[in-house]
């Protein structure tokens, strides 16, 4: 158990009674507040790749739920290229028929999921400015693609480092977002940016949960390099709630990499010092 320096204490989550997990019990699952989930019937997902159990569970939660996904790393072309790559490797005896079957199954699952009438999928990259036809801005999403009266939104962000760049734009629409789930990457290299982002977000949201992604390890000061963070809009929580100091949480958190032990960390409880 890594005990974090006191400078991280501003990240101590508020303890809420209604946390629940959406998605698989490994990389791809995230923690949300179920009370807020009952209010929200719309999910925006930035970053899906080929693991979308979180999005599937959101749809299952209520028949009224729908979602929209933006991810330029995945598309029909991605699966087609993967298919031919597997064919070439089978011919070179580097892969077997089982690998090809998995590839085909994944593609058909992707087609089935994205053809769901409650799902809209865009193979687009989230960016602050449009530099190519693949780029799309936060403003374009919130003001043109999504109805302007759409509120009570759940927003999930897992875009491999680009999360640092879009926080200011996201917060322009905080009044429409009930809860926010993000994964922050490379905190060992971007600690100053990470702290700045957290302070901006915490002007409008409380942290409700943290979980370390064990595909990476700890920073030199004990904080996880990659960290999953759940936020609840301040409209719904009071800062008088109790705080939660130790992570991971049993029966809620599971290792992203199931072959490795989950990363344990705790905050300094200065009330007891």
């Amino acid at each position: 158990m890594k005990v974090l320096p006191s400078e991280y204490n501003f990240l101590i989550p508020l303890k809420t009674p209604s946390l629940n997990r959406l998605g698989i019990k490994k990389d791809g699952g995230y923690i949300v507040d179920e009370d807020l989930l009952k209010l929200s019937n719309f999910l925006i997902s930035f970053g899906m790749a080929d693991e979308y159990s979180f999005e599937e569970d959101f749809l299952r939660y209520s028949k009224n739920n729908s979602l929209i996904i933006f991810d330029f790393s995945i598309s029909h072309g991605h699966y087609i290229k993967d298919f031919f790559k597997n064919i070439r490797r089978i011919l070179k005896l580097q892969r077997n028929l089982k690998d090809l079957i998995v590839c085909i199954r994944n593609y058909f699952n992707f087609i089935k999921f994205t053809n769901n009438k409650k799902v809209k999928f865009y193979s687009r990259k989230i960016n602050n400015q449009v530099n190519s036809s693949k780029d799309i801005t936060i403003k374009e999403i919130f003001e043109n693609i999504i109805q302007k009266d759409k509120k009570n939104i759940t927003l999930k962000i897992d875009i491999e480092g680009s999360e640092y760049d879009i926080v200011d734009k996201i917060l322009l629409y905080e009044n429409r977002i009930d809860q926010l789930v993000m994964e922050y990457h490379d905190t060992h290299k971007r600690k100053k940016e990470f702290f700045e982002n957290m302070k901006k977000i915490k002007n409008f949201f409380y942290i409700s949960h943290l979980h370390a992604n064990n595909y990476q390890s700890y920073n030199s000061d004990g904080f996880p390099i990659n960290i999953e963070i759940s936020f609840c809009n301040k409209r719904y929580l009071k800062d008088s709630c109790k705080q939660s100091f130790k992570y991971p949480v049993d029966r809620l958190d599971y290792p992203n990499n199931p072959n490795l032990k989950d990363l344990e960390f705790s905050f300094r409880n200065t009330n007891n010092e």
Side-chain angles (χ1 to χ4, degrees):
M1 176 74 71
K2 299 283 187 179
V3 180
L4 300 177
S6 297
E7 64 175 327
Y8 285 97
N9 276 11
F10 78 105
L11 299 177
I12 297 174
L14 297 183
K15 185 179 292 186
T16 62
S18 56
L19 294 182
N20 198 3
R21 185 181 187 89
L22 293 186
I24 198 168
K25 291 180 178 179
K26 57 181 181 179
D27 196 32
Y30 295 91
I31 307 305
V32 296
D33 187 291
E34 192 162 10
D35 285 344
L36 297 189
L37 200 60
K38 293 173 183 176
L39 301 176
S40 173
N41 60 13
F42 190 69
L43 168 68
I44 305 174
S45 180
F46 295 165
M48 178 184 79
D50 55 3
E51 209 306 296
Y52 37 87
S53 60
F54 179 87
E55 288 79 3
E56 289 178 316
D57 275 359
F58 182 84
L59 287 182
R60 292 189 192 103
Y61 191 82
S62 170
K63 64 180 181 180
N64 297 319
N65 284 4
S66 61
L67 58 90
I68 188 168
I69 302 163
F70 299 88
D71 191 335
F72 81 106
S73 72
I74 200 81
S75 65
H76 292 283
H78 163 86
Y79 285 100
I80 292 169
K81 287 179 182 178
D82 199 36
F83 172 80
F84 285 108
K85 184 188 296 183
N86 274 279
I87 293 289
R88 289 194 298 270
R89 290 182 176 178
I90 287 173
L91 294 175
K92 294 178 181 179
L93 304 180
Q94 296 174 341
R95 291 280 177 91
N96 56 43
L97 187 59
K98 182 179 178 181
D99 295 314
L100 183 61
I101 292 172
V102 170
C103 172
I104 294 171
R105 184 188 300 122
N106 287 343
Y107 185 32
F108 278 102
N109 288 340
F110 171 78
I111 293 172
K112 181 181 178 181
F113 177 66
T114 54
N115 282 344
N116 186 323
K117 65 180 181 179
K118 295 183 177 181
V119 175
K120 289 185 179 180
F121 174 78
Y122 294 81
S123 183
R124 305 284 289 276
K125 182 179 181 180
I126 307 299
N127 209 334
N128 281 334
Q129 56 186 13
V130 177
N131 298 315
S132 74
S133 59
K134 281 288 186 181
D135 293 334
I136 190 166
T137 64
I138 300 298
K139 182 178 181 180
E140 173 72 12
I141 293 169
F142 275 87
E143 297 190 10
N144 295 327
I145 293 181
I146 300 170
Q147 296 175 345
K148 289 186 178 182
D149 61 350
K150 180 74 73 175
K151 296 184 179 180
N152 299 114
I153 293 170
T154 297
L155 174 60
K156 188 203 85 172
I157 303 174
D158 185 1
I159 49 178
E160 307 303 322
S162 296
E163 62 274 3
Y164 290 91
D165 304 323
I166 64 170
V167 163
D168 287 340
K169 304 298 184 184
I170 289 291
L171 293 178
L172 294 176
Y173 306 96
E174 60 80 23
N175 63 320
R176 297 170 63 185
I177 301 168
D178 282 0
Q179 57 185 325
L180 173 63
V181 182
M182 302 179 71
E183 180 164 358
Y184 267 89
H185 303 80
D186 301 325
T187 64
H188 61 315
K189 298 177 182 177
R190 307 178 73 171
K191 180 177 177 179
K192 182 179 178 181
E193 286 179 88
F194 175 68
F195 273 32
E196 290 172 350
N197 268 212
M198 289 299 100
K199 289 173 182 176
K200 289 176 181 178
I201 295 173
K202 286 181 88 275
N203 285 326
F204 305 98
F205 294 85
Y206 291 123
I207 296 174
S208 59
H209 191 74
L210 297 169
H211 178 251
N213 185 329
N214 69 336
Y215 274 100
Q216 292 284 353
S217 188
Y218 300 97
N219 299 343
S220 58
D221 60 13
F223 193 75
I225 290 175
N226 293 345
I227 184 84
E228 299 165 350
I229 311 177
S230 302
F231 301 89
C232 295
N233 198 295
K234 286 187 174 182
R235 296 192 301 270
Y236 302 106
L237 286 182
K238 298 179 180 179
D239 59 7
S240 59
C241 293
K242 293 182 179 179
Q243 295 176 308
S244 184
F245 293 91
K246 294 183 179 181
Y247 293 89
V249 177
D250 189 37
R251 299 181 183 179
L252 193 62
D253 291 316
Y254 298 87
N256 295 67
N257 182 348
N259 297 316
L260 297 175
K261 188 177 184 296
D262 221 349
L263 301 183
E264 299 179 348
F265 64 96
S266 68
F267 295 92
R268 296 182 185 274
N269 189 345
T270 55
N271 295 328
N272 295 334
E273 292 181 357

